[in-house]
Amino acid sequence: MTDAYIYDAVRTPRGKGRKDGALHEVTAVRLSSEVLNALKDRNGLDGPAVEDVIWGNVTQVKEQGGCLARTAVLASDLDEAIPGLAVNRFCASGMEAVNLAANQVMGGAGDGYIAGGVEMMGRVPMGSDGAAIAVDPSVAMETYFVPQGISADIIATEYGFTRDQADALAVESQKRAKAAWDDKRFAKSIIEVKDQNGLTILDRDEYMRPGTDMQALGSLNPSFQQMGEVMPGFDAVAKLKYPHLEKINHIHHAGNSSGIVDGSAGVLVGSKAFGEKWGLKPRARIRQTCKIGTDPTIMLTGPVPATRKILADSGMEIGDIDLFEVNEAFASVVLRFMQAFDVDPDLVNVNGGSIAMGHPLGATGAIIIGTLLDELERQDKETGLATLCIASGMGAATIIERV
């Protein structure tokens, strides 16, 4: 099979996903087109240079609806001969886009792809697509559906994680994100978002709260306790599925869960021949990709079986991985990953994660692949693994190695 390489990776800063957020007036199409233009310009691409643009976004309605990928191509400076494919694997959509591109290259279906994703959560709210898994009783009852926050609290209960552990992870995420920005570790990949007059709208992740400490987090009430215990009583649903759990321990709140933000990211993936054609040097090889289905009620444990699968498929062991990016959807997701593999916390999310900087659903998978690559280069390490939990019970992972 043909090897697939990463030639470049860029992302926008993440803006607060609300009306007073810096990116609120920017549409998903426009932000996506800015990322596409950056990849085109940075790498000297011209004409129908890539086979396809594969773009993830989760809430595919209204201005994020249709085939957003194709619309973004037409709104960008890319050649109109380049098609676009919109994909949705919930929180792993950006990673799935990159993995699909890599596997297309590996299979010989084109030499080059742009892949990534976008989510403007302040403009198109999460859940506004009315997903059947949540609103169709015939599906929700059969699968023992509960909201993701309840699932995160189930993980904490099942695997014995405390509120203090979750809060400590959140404080560390904030500290690491601040250190990364202060040290300009994201400088290689960040593209400024500018308005139509060329003035900078945002050049730094806006959601960060670097002054966060244990005392501040300790004052926050659990976000999902009421919906679990009172109405509509999702704890009761969870205990029907897991009768051994006497009580759900509600430890998650806004400070130890991922932030609602706007953002976009893209990765340039291609074969060796693609790089030679455009005079580009590969930065990493995509060694292995995987996706897996898991229990849809506890829902967010996917990084553990996905990692086991991708290691087995690649003939590797956990000790062969130098650095990890595990999306911080909720603190318990990362705590469970580190517990399952006995991984040194200093190797996981070195530059902070979605608790500190936010989780733009359709973009995050591409963001963490780019962040992982930058950090491997900074530390002169070789191999990294990125993974995400996924709504309705799935997991995805990607292993990259520097070349």
Side-chain angles (χ1 to χ4, degrees):
M1 294 180 66
T2 302
D3 283 332
Y5 298 97
I6 295 175
Y7 286 95
D8 199 8
V10 301
R11 72 170 177 94
T12 69
R14 286 166 272 196
K16 295 177 183 178
R18 58 194 193 201
K19 290 183 178 180
D20 62 349
L23 298 181
H24 185 68
E25 299 304 317
V26 182
T27 66
V29 167
R30 188 186 151 209
L31 200 66
S32 299
S33 69
E34 291 297 310
V35 172
L36 298 181
N37 288 342
L39 288 170
K40 174 184 183 295
D41 295 342
R42 283 163 55 118
N43 296 283
L45 305 180
D46 188 34
V50 295
E51 187 78 14
D52 203 354
V53 169
I54 307 178
W55 217 240
N57 68 293
V58 174
T59 310
Q60 297 186 349
V61 294
K62 298 183 178 179
E63 62 190 50
Q64 285 188 173
C67 182
L68 188 148
R70 174 58 176 169
T71 310
V73 170
L74 295 175
S76 75
D77 296 332
L78 292 180
D79 195 293
E80 68 177 15
I82 298 172
L85 171 65
V87 298
N88 183 358
R89 198 184 292 280
F90 293 128
C91 296
S93 297
M95 175 176 284
E96 184 63 23
V98 175
N99 290 352
L100 280 171
N103 289 320
Q104 292 280 78
V105 170
M106 292 177 191
D111 281 334
Y113 286 78
I114 294 175
V118 67
E119 205 78 30
M120 304 305 289
M121 300 180 74
R123 295 178 63 89
V124 186
M126 179 172 54
S128 58
D129 53 349
I133 187 68
V135 304
D136 184 338
S138 66
V139 179
M141 292 176 67
E142 185 72 20
T143 58
Y144 296 90
F145 170 82
V146 298
Q148 287 188 34
I150 301 293
S151 299
D153 287 337
I154 294 172
I155 293 173
T157 306
E158 178 72 15
Y159 295 101
F161 304 126
T162 67
R163 167 76 177 257
D164 280 351
Q165 286 177 295
D167 286 357
L169 186 145
V171 170
E172 185 64 21
S173 180
Q174 296 284 353
K175 288 180 178 178
R176 292 182 181 188
K178 181 182 185 303
W181 272 103
D182 289 349
D183 199 30
K184 299 182 179 180
R185 298 179 193 173
F186 301 132
K188 182 183 294 186
S189 301
I190 288 287
I191 60 170
E192 295 183 358
V193 181
K194 299 183 177 182
D195 65 16
Q196 294 179 341
N197 297 315
L199 300 176
T200 298
I201 299 174
L202 188 64
D203 61 2
R204 184 180 178 89
D205 289 321
E206 184 183 29
Y207 184 79
M208 293 165 52
R209 294 153 292 174
T212 299
D213 57 23
M214 293 293 287
Q215 289 71 29
L217 295 184
S219 68
L220 300 177
N221 293 322
S223 296
F224 310 104
Q225 185 169 3
Q226 185 172 7
M227 71 169 63
E229 295 179 353
V230 184
M231 288 296 293
F234 285 109
D235 284 7
V237 176
K239 286 187 281 188
L240 287 173
K241 183 72 172 287
Y242 315 114
H244 63 284
L245 299 180
E246 295 182 4
K247 178 179 173 60
I248 306 301
N249 184 20
H250 292 286
I251 71 168
H252 288 92
H253 50 75
N256 59 27
S257 306
S258 57
I260 294 174
V261 296
D262 305 323
S264 182
V267 180
L268 180 61
V269 178
S271 64
K272 182 179 179 181
F274 176 83
E276 291 173 346
K277 177 179 179 180
W278 295 101
L280 303 175
K281 181 180 178 181
R283 295 173 61 190
R285 179 171 75 97
I286 298 179
R287 175 162 178 167
Q288 194 75 41
T289 72
C290 87
K291 58 273 186 185
I292 197 166
T294 64
D295 180 339
T297 305
I298 200 168
M299 193 186 309
L300 307 174
T301 55
V304 173
T307 296
R308 288 176 177 148
K309 182 178 189 300
I310 200 169
L311 290 173
D313 290 348
S314 58
M316 302 178 72
E317 298 179 354
I318 198 73
D320 297 325
I321 306 298
D322 295 314
L323 294 172
F324 301 86
E325 283 288 324
V326 182
N327 185 41
E328 295 175 352
F330 298 90
S332 64
V333 174
V334 183
L335 291 170
R336 172 56 188 150
F337 181 89
M338 293 189 294
Q339 179 192 66
F341 296 104
D342 192 24
V343 173
D344 183 346
D346 289 340
L347 303 180
V348 181
N349 301 343
V350 173
N351 296 309
S354 292
I355 290 174
M357 293 174 284
H359 175 21
L361 306 177
T364 303
I367 289 174
I368 65 174
I369 289 173
T371 299
L372 180 62
L373 175 55
D374 285 345
E375 188 62 20
L376 286 171
E377 291 176 340
R378 188 182 76 86
Q379 293 195 28
D380 196 22
K381 299 289 181 65
E382 293 184 3
T383 305
L385 184 150
T387 184
L388 302 93
C389 61
I390 307 174
S392 76
M394 293 184 283
T398 306
I399 293 176
I400 64 174
E401 59 183 15
R402 289 176 60 206
V403 294

